[in-house]
Every structure is written in structure tokens, then in C-alpha cells.
Amino acid sequence: MATGTPKKRVLSPLPLLDEAQVLRVCAREGIKTHNAYKMWRGLIKDGHPTVRDVPGLPKALYDVIENEFALTTSTVVKQSASKDGSTTKMLVKLQDGNMVESVIMRYGTVQFSSYLDDKGLEVEEDPTFKSKPRATLCISSQIGCAMGCTFCATGTMGLVGHLCSGEILEQLYHANQITPIQNVVFMGMGEPLDNYHEMLSAIHGMTDVQRWSMKYTSVSVSTVGVVPRLMQLARDAPKVNLALSLHAPNQDLRIQLVPSAKAWHIDKIMEALDEFIYRQNLEQARMRTVLIEYVLIAGVNDSEETAHELGALLKNRAIVLNVIPYNPTAVPHDYKSPTPETTHAFNAIVRKYDVKTIQRQELGQDIASACGQLVISNLAGEGGSMGTGGCATEPADMEELVPGPVPAMSLGKPRKRANGKKANKSASNTAATAKSGVTKSKEVATASIFNPLRVAVLIVILGFLFLAARKISSSGADADPLSSWFN
């Protein structure tokens, strides 16, 4: 396992999809920045194979790009497809010989192993929801991971290095050569918030209208809870979907499963979560939720007592709990998957706290690309065969992830803590908070009604009616109003 601070990676040539590097060179050469965006549009949207094929760029830009950059500095050295065709795993070799994995997941029919209907009653038969066909890319942000989650294969690698934003976007570029990608989830190798600035730059590239033009709501970020960065993400990109890898309802158990939890107490993580939810819904007419990921491990975090504690922790929060039975993988622990009966009972207990839980079908288990299975067994200089890679369950589109209503939640201010513990709330406080949420929703609705365009249209309509009334009055009471107006 790699430990300590990873060695800084020096890339040559530079990734052409790396916005910061390209704009830095443009500034050095005196090239106007709009030419860089024109170049990206030609390569990504218009499909030109090389920069030379993009018309209308300055000669200096052509020259510097050819001398210092490459459209892709990485290559897909192996693809593995699941038997049902739902999943394709890519082994991507970086220019320094290191490897990362990314996974394409195809959706159209979503099956839930556990789900509640609109009345809050459990659906006995596995419900299936059909949606428009789409492909989601599970993307890597680091080579390995420093978080060391004991149930995750990537955690056994340690942190080997950070990917730059260009290398992150190259995974999206490669995937689009296989199938058009509609959604991206940062659930591959690495902790995205531990590589924050490169992740954020990549998100900007994905959502830039000159490049991939994805909606922010089509991008999801999964984190174990790097508190300072989670608070920053709430300010920088509150419109992205957030998935919090929780896995335990208390600090002691969480440290056993997520060693990095020693740095950020679960109370602080929940405070940061509340802040993100608050900012995410400030200007939303419809409540958005955060996905809580919970890997259920037999005899570790699947007891009835743990389920009650988790329900109490998540109650009255705008979240959806995704219960993921443990996938056997290459970790130095004798973890086992829970029985279906245990999983069912765990869901049932948590739901007693008015917490919505789901359990989706897993994709790609036969090619080791399911939740927690991503790892590269052969790093730089050791060949390049597939490890036991994989990706988490995808929360790509919250509307499609959670059909039906979400329990009423508060849009009030983030919760406060007292003495490191959750402050108890009386019924009156809860009601007051809910009322503040309703008030805020009304304010948003009022603001949307009285926007300048609607006011202008209203003025024109009123003017039309006023003139019509005068015309009718001058024509006499017996005149036909419409014929009088148009004659």
C-alpha cells in the first residue's frame, strides 16, 4: 500500500482537455482565451479528430498545441463487458504508466430490491421502473485512495497520485467513443474532495456549453465526508448531486470502517451535510435530496440496534438512504454479505423513523465493477491487467433514483450542535423550522412570479384590455366588441 504524500506527477505532453494548462499557455503566448473554447467545441461537440481540423484558429494556437499538448494523454488498454451488456469497465493507462478504472453503466429499467410506495407501504414484489435509456460514467479522480475504507478494494492501494482535471475529463472523452454519456458520478477510484480543485475544474468542463454541456444535476459527487471541502462544495457547486458514504451511525463504528473518520467527527460531517442541503435548496421550488450510501456488512453494521441509531440520526433530513449489501472483494478482512432477511429487517427499522430507503440492483458484479470493488492490481511497470475494479451504485438523477414523493423536509437553517452532540429539538422547534421552510418556498415562488419578463407581459395585456374597453365604450353598448376593435 502506498502511504504518505504522493509524489507530484509531471506530465509531458500536457492534456489538451485541461482548462487551466491551456489557458496558462494562451496567456503566455498572447492568444485570446475565446480561441481555446472554440477549439474545445470543435474537438468535443463537432467531432474534429485533431486541432488542425478545427477551422478558424490562430496559427500560434495550432503550433503551441501541437508542440506541448495531446488530445488524450491516456489510452484505454482493456475493456470488460458484463454478460447482460449493462456495464462496460475501462482500464485506462496514464502516460506515466499508472492505471485507473472507469465504468459505463447503462440504465433504462431500474429494479429495486426494497422500496416503499406512495403511501409508505413496502412493495412486496421487486418493483421495476422504466425510464429513458441513458448511460452513466463512474469516473476516477485519483490513483488509489487515502481514505482506507476497510471494505473497499481501492482503499487497499493507498494514495498513489492525483489526477489532473484533463485526465479526469479524458475518461469522459474515452467513454463517449463507446456510447453517449448522459450522467457522470465521481464514484470511481479516489476521494474526489481530496483532489478538490481538479475535480471542480473537471465539473466545470463537463457543464461548460462549449464542451459537454451537461447539467450540474447530471453530475454526482460521492465523498466519505472531507468536512472543509464539503463546506466549500456547498458554496462552489451546490447544484451537483451529493452522495455521502456514511456506513455507520456513530463515531466509534465509523472509525472501524472508515479510518479517515478520525479526522472528521460524524457530528461535524452531519453539520456539513445540513449546510449543503440548505444551500442546495435555497433557490429550488422542488425539494432536492442527498443520497446516503450505507454498505451493509454482516455482523458489523447490520444489527437492529444500529438500524435504530441510524434512523434517529437521519430523521427529518432531506436524504434518501441507499442500502448496499456488501460485495465480496479483495480486502484483508473476513467481511460477508448480510442475508436478504437481515437486509429487509434493517430497511424496515430505519423506515420507522420516516427515512426513505432504497435498495437498487447492482450492475457489473460479474466483471467486478460493483460497489467497493475498484482496484488496480498492477500499477506502473507491472503490466496492466484488470484488477478487481468496480463502482458504487449510481445516483445519477435524483428524480429517477427516487420515484414517488420524498417525506416533507425542512428548508430551514442548518442544525446547530451543542457540546459535540446533536441538540435535542422540541416539537415546537420542529414545527417552527418546517414553517420557515414553507415560508422560504413561498418566497422563491413569489420571486419567480414577479420576474421582469412576466411583469412586462402583464403590462402589455393590461394595456390591450384598456384600449379594447375604450374602443367598445366609444362604439356604443350594442356594438359587437370584436368587430368594433378590428374595423
Side-chain angles (χ1 to χ4, degrees), residues 286-442:
R286 177 181 178 179
M287 172 66 73
R288 292 183 63 192
T289 57
V290 168
L291 188 73
I292 303 295
E293 298 167 307
Y294 194 97
V295 173
L296 202 64
I297 306 172
V300 178
N301 64 349
D302 66 341
S303 69
E304 292 186 2
E305 180 183 359
T306 303
H308 281 291
E309 192 174 0
L310 181 64
L313 178 67
L314 300 180
K315 185 177 182 179
N316 295 328
R317 285 189 162 96
I319 61 91
V320 174
L321 177 67
N322 187 18
V323 178
I324 310 167
Y326 172 71
N327 291 306
T329 189
V331 295
H333 300 277
D334 189 25
Y335 289 151
K336 291 180 173 59
S337 302
T339 64
E341 293 77 15
T342 299
T343 304
H344 181 277
F346 190 92
N347 276 294
I349 291 173
V350 176
R351 285 169 176 166
K352 291 180 179 179
Y353 293 84
D354 200 24
V355 174
K356 191 154 192 171
T357 77
I358 59 171
Q359 184 186 333
R360 297 184 72 184
Q361 88 272 32
E362 292 283 349
L363 300 185
Q365 287 179 315
D366 57 330
I367 56 171
S369 60
C371 178
Q373 292 182 314
L374 279 179
V375 67
I376 301 297
S377 58
N378 295 289
L379 297 177
E382 299 180 23
S385 64
M386 282 280 195
T388 57
C391 184
T393 304
E394 172 256 332
D397 191 353
M398 288 298 179
E399 288 78 7
E400 294 182 359
L401 174 68
V402 192
V406 175
M409 302 294 177
S410 168
L411 284 179
K413 287 285 186 180
R415 306 178 184 194
K416 299 297 183 181
R417 308 283 172 178
N419 299 323
K421 300 180 180 179
K422 287 198 301 181
N424 293 326
K425 290 193 173 183
S426 63
S428 60
N429 286 339
T430 303
T433 306
K435 183 177 180 180
S436 70
V438 173
T439 301
K440 193 174 292 296
S441 297
K442 290 180 178 179

Side-chain angles (χ1 to χ4, degrees), residues 125-204:
E125 296 182 1
D126 292 353
T128 299
F129 299 91
K130 291 186 177 180
S131 62
K132 60 182 179 181
R134 67 194 189 280
T136 294
L137 179 64
C138 177
I139 209 165
S140 293
S141 56
Q142 294 177 310
I143 309 164
C145 183
M147 301 298 107
C149 298
T150 58
F151 53 85
C152 178
T154 310
T156 64
M157 295 175 59
L159 180 59
V160 178
H162 299 291
L163 299 184
C164 69
S165 64
E167 292 174 308
I168 296 173
L169 290 172
E170 283 182 22
Q171 296 172 67
L172 178 57
Y173 185 88
H174 290 313
N176 270 297
Q177 310 308 307
I178 299 173
T179 189
I181 301 296
Q182 286 78 41
N183 303 298
V184 170
V185 293
F186 282 84
M187 291 185 176
M189 298 171 63
E191 163 56 58
L193 299 191
D194 192 35
N195 191 19
Y196 184 82
H197 295 293
E198 299 301 326
M199 175 210 69
L200 193 64
S201 178
I203 291 174
H204 289 162

Side-chain angles (χ1 to χ4, degrees), residues 17-19 37 40-41 44-45 169 201 204-206 208-214:
L17 300 178
D18 195 300
E19 181 177 16
Y37 293 96
W40 285 318
R41 182 181 181 87
I44 297 169
K45 288 203 165 187
L169 290 172
S201 178
H204 289 162
M206 296 168 189
D208 178 23
V209 294
Q210 299 287 2
R211 286 173 275 179
W212 279 279
S213 296
M214 299 178 72

